Amino acid sequence: MRAAASRVLPMTTTPIAAKYETVIGLEVHVQLLTERKMFCGCNAAYADAVPNTHVCPVCMALPGVLPVINRKAVEYTVMAALALNCEIPQFSKFDRKNYPYPDLLKGYQISQYDLPLSQGGWLEIEVEGHEPRRVGIERCHLEEDTARLTHRTDAAGESHSLIDMNRSGVPLMEIVSAPDMRSPEEAREYLVKLRQILRYIGVSKANMEEGNFRCDANISLRPAGASEYGAKVEVKNMNSFRAVYHALQHEVVRQTAELDAGHRIPQETRGWVEADGRTVSQRSKEQAHDYRYFPEPDLPPVTLAPADVDAIRARLPELPDAKMRRFEGEYGLTRYEANLLCESRARADYYEAAVAPAGAGADDASRRYAKQVANWMLGDFARLLNAAGSDIADARVAPADLHALIALIEDGTISGKIAKSVFEAMFDSGKPPATVIDELGLSQISAADEISGIVDAVIARNEKPVADYRAGKQEALKFLVGQAMRETRGRANPATLTEILKAKLDAKA
Amino acid sequence: MPDLTDLTVHAAAGLLAKREVSSRELTQAALDRIAAVDDRVKAFVTVTGERALAQADAADKRLAAGERGPLLGVPVALKDVLSTAGVPTTCSSRMLEHFVPPYDATVVRRLAEAGAVSVGKTNMDEFAMGSSTENSAFFTTRNPWDLERVPGGSSGGSAAAVAAREATYALGSDTGGSIRQPAALCGVVGMKPTYGRVSRYGLVAFASSLDQIGPFTRDVRDCATVLNAISGHDPGDATSAPVDTPDFAAGIDAGARGLRVGVPREYMPPTLDAGVRRCIEDALRAFEAQGATVDLDLTLPSTEAALAVYYIIAPSEASANLARYDGVKYGFSWQRGESMWENMEETRGRGFGAEVKRRIMIGTYALSSGYYDAYYLKAQKVRTVIRREFDAAFERCDVIVSPVTPTPAFKIGEKADDPYAMYLNDVFTLPVNIAGLPGISVPAGFVDGLPVGLQIIGKPFDEATVLRAARAFEQTADWHMRAPALTA
């Protein structure tokens, strides 16, 4: 999908690049959330495991072992590829990528070279203040992760490298973008969007800090308006979206300065040094590996009939962009609200469950709360989650209880103000709103005779404001309502209260 | 009572079934024979006497409980390229000299389930690269028919062990002829099944798209029996074929009547040893006498290219398969270097023998960018041509018959310094691996006291016809009944 690349695009917010056009392509490696490793039956979830416990002869590369393809990993890759609008060829194969390194136990990585599981897709990104645009996806393919090396120096000053093979053979999906991004901002947006989609379809935790989402960036500059690409610099060692962004910004500045000084940019690999905020040269083009790819003789080709692909497509959940558009239309939300609510699938699911809890039906009666639910979720709820540092998926408030709370406001059982305290209690305890209200004695007083007595007392105690009101000062009424409210600790039904107060004041005039 | 070491598998199983002999007696006889002759034959890298006797006792218990099986309690020797849990698996390499695997190859597990008794691990060319066992890092195995000569290779130890009556049968592996060539040179039956017939899981890889495990036996019926036990789809080997295993022993006595035997002109070149030619021609007459038709006008035009194709594809795959031996995880490890890279280089430089290094270098070169298309890709294309030529040939015949080797066993040292002459020993066998076909070597006579083998090649997964033809031929003579004197 190279159409996007040919579109003439406005420059985004890196002003320094005005003379040159920045060209960025990203290679993202994502660990898949399969139960088992890519080519053996070992548990792939190694995060909290004791080193070298999730291993078997296959992932330890003992002599004589053979790989067997994990079909679930193939399915997950196809899911991701479909979500990225890729084409899925019927015929795909694995290849051996040869290079020596102690973390690569077989001495080659089983990867995919010329016939990947998918190619030719796109991802729509939107940088604030700019039109949405498509970034091409060249391919999504499947490979295996390496073991983990840890380098240590002992008390005697002797350095050691330790190998943890738990990670060896964990399914790894590589997503290669076209060189379609034109600024570090776009690159960051691409990563945010990609992560969102991968999490939506549930194929990866896609967490850069945890190492299950890794990104290498290719960046080059060319004179504005030129059609040929400049020499490509590959940047590695970035451990967060922030790092990617800063490393690319640094490269834009560095390469601009080089070009301005009349220097040629050599094609090379550079590493991002977080502490120094700069990249340093690691490997020149001449030192690049010859990976000697050849077809993996231990694995038959992967064939995916159109029906197989359709079956996987049918299992894809609604993707963020589609969901957002639906939220706008179906629930009358603003784009801003819909965007925030659809940020994660958990949040979006929560929202819909709160708008129309099971049993309540998806009728218009419950849809009435659509706006209120959004307000709660983006207001008090979000604030409390933030303060607690937790995620909506772990929230103790059930969606149905948020719905019930709004219903209690609507029917006048509690005021909107009281509801805030009720919600805080719900957030802490996980109890339904009715229970919280009972326990705290917070239900609204609507009974006219009870309110009447309170109003009498307030009138008796506030001669001056009463006189002012009767002299025509309408603001005095507000003050008196406030006094009565304070008397009831906010529980009086404001409408009933105002009505009774007014009646009594006017009657005695 | 016959000499227990001289028994075929089915004869041994018959005596065991009638409880006329125990597995322990059979096993002890094999171990005694090893003790008596193996210092001359040098077939074994490791002899597992105590384990074998324990397995024999377990087999005897199963027999006592009424269980019967064609391999139950019968001694076997395993090529040292098959992974055996708790028993060193060296591939006759310094690199794995002290390596003890924690797992059994699928074939080893299947044999164990069938009650086989393993007496030991047999010598081979290092990592199965060679045709004489002279590339073993430990010692050269001797041909039991002439101790000055090679037993063939790479499964020379397994072939010699069966010929020298040190085991009732053996397993080997065949990448370009490594079962059939030593079987021919040692005068025993050896079969390479169709690629995918037998699981490769636990077979230390040389060339993954060519390797296949197969049996060495004293006769064709045994070959069918062992093949029955080791065949079958294995979910642990993605290249093992999901096909049913027929009873290979069932139809072998159906004879050769009506069988269409084809002989490719390219497999009977003028340079063929005269004695070998005589043996093959006698064999063809024997087929005709049994009612088979012989077509001498078959042609496989790309035969000449097979050697080149093989020596691109096999080393290419080997260059990757052997990359794991870096001294980091297991096996030989040089640790006196200044750096990690130096240690890895020294480990490989010192741990591998010359032929292994030669093939790793050839393969690395063939896969290098700029050369890939001219070598590896071209070889794959020619491989397809060779396959199609076999397909076409099999439209005219049921089996293809040829010599196994151009000459009988050569002298130790005769070709050791000439890799190309050594490679030429496999010209008739390696096209069969390239095409993934089943092929067998059966004893077909002697030249100057040295055995000659007849190769019978079949269609993919048609081992049954190959075995039937081999059995029909075997019964026209008694070549397979002869045993070496081993008096030297």
Side-chain angles (χ1 to χ4, degrees), chain A residues 57-58 60-68 96 98 100-102 105-108 163 290 292-295 297-300, chain B residues 99 102-103 200-204 208 235-239 320-321 323-325 328-330 340-341 364 367-369 372 376:
Chain A
V58 175
M60 289 195 293
L62 293 188
V65 297
L66 296 171
V68 176
R96 291 187 183 177
N98 297 285
Y101 208 72
L105 305 181
K106 294 191 295 296
Y108 58 85
I163 303 183
D290 177 0
R292 304 192 308 279
Y293 280 100
F294 73 102
D298 286 332
L299 294 172
Chain B
F99 176 66
Y103 80 103
R200 292 187 295 116
Y201 187 79
L203 165 66
V204 180
S208 314
D237 174 2
T239 64
N321 284 330
R324 67 192 62 195
Y325 308 108
V328 173
K329 306 167 286 281
Y330 46 74
M340 174 191 86
W341 293 111
T364 303
L367 292 173
S368 296
S369 99
Y372 180 87
Y376 184 83

Side-chain angles (χ1 to χ4, degrees), chain B residues 2-9 11-12 15 21 26 165 167-168 218 222:
Chain B
D3 182 345
L4 294 182
T5 62
D6 219 26
L7 297 173
T8 57
V9 172
L15 292 176
V21 67
L26 274 176
R165 272 54 184 170
T168 313
R218 297 209 214 298
D222 279 5

Side-chain angles (χ1 to χ4, degrees), chain A residues 29-31 38-39 46 103-106 109-110 143-148 167-172 211-212 214:
Chain A
H29 286 90
V30 178
Q31 280 182 350
M38 186 61 230
F39 298 115
Y46 62 88
D103 64 3
L104 187 63
L105 305 181
K106 294 191 295 296
Q109 180 190 36
I110 304 180
E143 56 188 36
E144 55 177 336
D145 211 341
T146 59
R148 242 172 70 88
R167 199 180 71 181
S168 167
V170 167
L172 207 55
N212 44 48
R214 300 167 213 154

Side-chain angles (χ1 to χ4, degrees), chain A residues 244-257:
Chain A
V244 174
Y245 179 71
H246 287 311
L248 288 173
Q249 271 196 327
H250 167 81
E251 273 303 301
V252 171
V253 172
R254 186 188 70 84
Q255 292 187 26
T256 299

Side-chain angles (χ1 to χ4, degrees), chain A residues 280-437:
Chain A
V280 295
S281 182
Q282 288 182 327
R283 198 163 66 201
S284 74
K285 186 189 174 188
E286 289 70 31
Q287 293 165 288
H289 283 298
D290 177 0
Y291 291 121
R292 304 192 308 279
Y293 280 100
F294 73 102
E296 169 55 273
D298 286 332
L299 294 172
V302 179
T303 49
L304 284 165
D308 300 334
V309 176
D310 288 345
I312 295 171
R313 198 190 307 272
R315 285 201 293 278
L316 270 185
E318 185 179 29
L319 295 173
D321 280 357
K323 199 183 278 286
M324 211 169 78
R325 269 172 228 126
R326 182 168 64 79
F327 275 24
E328 285 180 71
E330 195 172 328
Y331 301 117
L333 301 177
T334 64
R335 189 177 177 78
Y336 175 78
E337 290 169 329
N339 191 17
L340 284 175
L341 288 171
C342 291
E343 194 179 275
S344 76
R345 199 170 150 191
R347 194 185 285 178
D349 288 348
Y350 190 103
Y351 174 75
E352 293 205 277
V355 169
D363 58 4
D364 288 343
S366 46
R367 293 271 158 73
R368 280 188 300 138
Y369 297 162
K371 203 75 182 178
Q372 286 99 310
V373 173
N375 289 341
W376 276 100
M377 286 185 61
L378 301 177
D380 289 58
F381 202 172
R383 179 178 51 79
L384 290 170
L385 284 171
N386 251 337
S390 67
D391 187 82
I392 194 146
D394 312 317
R396 305 184 67 179
V397 183
D401 289 340
L402 176 56
H403 184 93
L405 178 69
I406 295 166
L408 289 170
I409 304 166
E410 291 282 300
D411 71 10
T413 308
I414 53 170
S415 67
K417 201 169 167 193
I418 291 280
K420 285 174 180 286
S421 325
V422 174
F423 185 80
E424 279 186 35
M426 289 164 66
F427 185 88
D428 291 336
S429 67
K431 290 176 181 167
T435 311
V436 170
I437 290 165

Side-chain angles (χ1 to χ4, degrees), chain A residues 210-221:
Chain A
E210 289 174 10
N212 44 48
F213 184 110
R214 300 167 213 154
C215 175
D216 297 333
N218 290 308
I219 177 166
S220 62
L221 263 55

